[in-house]
Amino acid sequence: MGFVAIGFSLTFFCLLPFFIREYRAGKGRDWRVGLPTGCILLAVFVFETYGVLHTSAANAALLISLCVLFTPYTEWLIFNQKPRRESFMLAVVSFTGVGLLTISHDMAFNLGDALILVAAVLRAFMVTTTKKLTTDKDISTISLTGIQSGVVAAGALVALWVTEPDFLMRLPSSSNFWLIVVYLVVFCTIFAFSHKITGPENSALPRFHC
């Protein structure tokens, strides 16, 4: 959670000037839509963080990718858009493939796998909820990303304050650590999150964060 807090705090402060500029220009008045979606994103990272503790990185990567399959079904619930018949077949094939890749004779579905699976469902809901809440709203994706990042950072800091209150007094000093953080912030958060989701052709494409 410390890594999540650091990464999203940096993202928030990097994007804050863009949001302030847009707000002063009369845009971004609907910034509050970023609060509920930010809370969903925070829940995603909580489940992912503790899920990885109890499963392998390979399992986590495969299971979280299922959010792409879950997204059409969350749209079915929220927008009443029934997935195409092919989607059902592809879902069955994909679930079978993930099962073959992650479960062997000496390994069973464990707590970590379950937590990552919940995170995948939450990611799908985040994509669909974001689309629903931002329709016809005056806010850019970069401002939305900044607000969501602030919510995640605040939530992670609260979690640290409860579980490890001395964390902020012993921040990592390794230059390699901070180079990795900067890389993830720029390329896997700002770049990955700040793209526009418009139209049904893009509705099933979730925004990823590494």
Side-chain angles (χ1 to χ4, degrees):
M1 293 308 295
F3 188 83
V4 171
I6 291 172
F8 277 96
S9 293
L10 290 177
T11 302
F12 172 72
F13 286 112
C14 285
L15 298 181
L16 184 59
F18 294 96
F19 171 71
I20 293 174
R21 183 178 63 185
E22 289 186 356
Y23 193 83
R24 288 178 174 175
K27 301 178 181 179
R29 300 294 179 182
D30 296 311
W31 62 270
R32 291 176 182 82
V33 300
L35 300 180
T37 54
C39 289
I40 298 175
L41 185 60
L42 173 62
V44 168
F45 279 101
V46 170
F47 279 99
E48 285 183 349
T49 298
Y50 290 100
V52 171
L53 283 176
H54 302 286
T55 190
S56 66
N59 277 22
L62 286 167
L63 290 171
I64 199 65
S65 68
L66 290 175
C67 65
V68 178
L69 290 175
F70 294 151
T71 301
Y73 299 97
T74 59
E75 290 189 331
W76 190 4
L77 290 174
I78 295 178
F79 291 107
N80 198 28
Q81 296 177 353
K82 186 177 181 179
R84 294 178 300 175
R85 184 179 303 174
E86 293 84 354
S87 297
F88 290 100
M89 181 183 67
L90 291 173
V92 172
V93 173
S94 298
F95 274 117
T96 303
V98 169
L100 292 173
L101 287 169
T102 57
I103 300 178
S104 62
H105 67 280
D106 59 348
M107 180 178 63
F109 191 81
N110 58 36
L111 173 62
D113 295 329
L115 293 174
I116 296 296
L117 196 58
V118 172
V121 174
L122 288 172
R123 278 189 178 274
F125 269 104
M126 180 189 167
V127 174
T128 310
T129 303
T130 299
K131 179 182 176 182
K132 181 177 180 64
L133 294 180
T134 56
T135 300
D136 299 325
K137 293 295 191 301
D138 184 19
I139 185 170
S140 69
T141 52
I142 198 163
S143 291
L144 180 63
T145 300
I147 296 166
Q148 291 172 339
S149 298
V151 173
V152 175
L157 288 170
V158 170
L160 286 172
W161 179 72
V162 173
T163 60
E164 297 183 64
D166 60 335
F167 173 81
L168 295 178
M169 302 302 294
R170 48 183 176 84
L171 289 174
S173 58
S174 169
S175 58
N176 286 337
F177 172 84
W178 290 103
L179 286 174
I180 290 172
V181 169
V182 170
Y183 172 81
L184 291 175
V185 166
V186 174
F187 293 102
C188 298
T189 303
I190 296 176
F191 179 77
F193 271 35
S194 300
H195 72 271
K196 194 173 185 181
I197 299 179
T198 56
E201 67 276 11
N202 291 329
S203 61
L205 299 178
R207 299 180 295 175
F208 287 95
H209 178 285
C210 296

